Amino acid sequence: MVRRQGARLARKPVVVAISGSPSPASATAELADHVLGLLAPAVAIGGHIRLRELDPAALMSGRTDDAGLAAAMREVEAADGLVIATPIYKAAYSGLLKAFLDAMPQFGLAGRTVLPLATGGSLAHVLALDYALRPVLQSMGARHIVQGTFVAAGQMRRGGEAFGLDPGAAELLGEAVLHFTHAVADASPKTLFGHPRPLREAAE
């Protein structure tokens, strides 16, 4: 579907999160919610698709006529940007996320900006974002994929207190969120893109 540039800039971009953890007490889903909270002042939040809540038989067989899976696909279709969060298992993104991406059309991410996030036991899994997930997102036509961010279990504060990150992880995630915010709004690549953080020529 072709989107008019003027119409896009006249409203806040819509961002949807997708979390691919099978766990009912998911750090990955909490991280995605945290990022949506950081984005909320600048974008319209379109929802959070928790893949574990979809019918597993429909998801694994790609039955897009299933009501829940069809609704999730419509949320993605309506989004300008996606926050895609996955746990890393054995150097790969989750099977739930793979099944969902497999069920989407070949170019189901066309025109969209994507922020990939991952969680795992240690930083040894960090390369899975670039070597496993990013090529799939590119093959599906994403307009721009922001540098992915990996957060290790030990960098997150969970449980009785509010969700939080240690300073190093918070700084890296903040940079990724900043880049994503500008990318999803079609900001100028000269002053606002790049990693690590570029000079922004009067942008601040």
Side-chain angles (χ1 to χ4, degrees):
M1 182 175 67
V2 177
R3 301 166 185 247
R4 292 187 178 181
Q5 184 77 0
R8 182 181 180 124
L9 294 178
R11 60 172 176 82
K12 285 185 176 181
V14 176
V15 172
V16 168
I18 301 169
S19 56
S21 173
S23 171
S26 169
T28 304
E30 288 186 44
L31 179 64
D33 280 333
H34 178 70
V35 168
L36 290 180
L38 296 176
L39 289 167
V43 306
I45 304 302
H48 182 172
I49 302 167
R50 294 168 173 83
L51 298 182
R52 67 173 300 275
E53 296 178 354
L54 299 179
D55 180 349
L59 182 60
M60 298 309 291
S61 61
R63 280 185 21 238
T64 54
D65 60 336
D66 172 78
L69 186 54
M73 296 294 180
R74 288 193 296 271
E75 285 190 56
V76 172
E77 170 63 25
D80 301 295
L82 298 169
V83 176
I84 298 181
T86 179
I88 301 298
Y89 301 117
K90 296 182 175 63
Y93 58 95
S94 77
L96 285 179
L97 180 57
K98 175 170 173 48
F100 186 73
L101 295 176
D102 285 349
M104 291 179 63
Q106 175 61 55
F107 297 107
L109 299 181
R112 289 165 183 81
T113 301
V114 180
L115 170 57
L117 303 174
T119 61
S122 77
L123 293 174
H125 297 297
V126 67
L127 293 179
L129 276 171
D130 286 334
Y131 289 97
L133 183 56
R134 180 177 286 268
V136 177
L137 303 178
Q138 289 175 326
S139 75
M140 296 180 69
R143 177 177 64 84
H144 182 66
I145 304 171
V146 175
Q147 179 68 37
T149 301
F150 179 90
V151 181
Q155 296 176 308
M156 292 181 277
R157 297 192 306 275
R158 304 176 63 210
E161 54 187 291
F163 182 88
L165 300 172
D166 74 20
E171 182 178 4
L172 285 176
L173 184 64
E175 288 299 299
V177 168
L178 179 63
H179 295 164
F180 177 80
T181 301
H182 289 297
V184 80
D186 287 335
S188 166
K190 179 180 179 183
T191 57
L192 298 169
F193 290 170
H195 194 83
R197 184 176 188 176
L199 295 176
R200 289 189 168 79
E201 298 179 9
E204 299 179 329

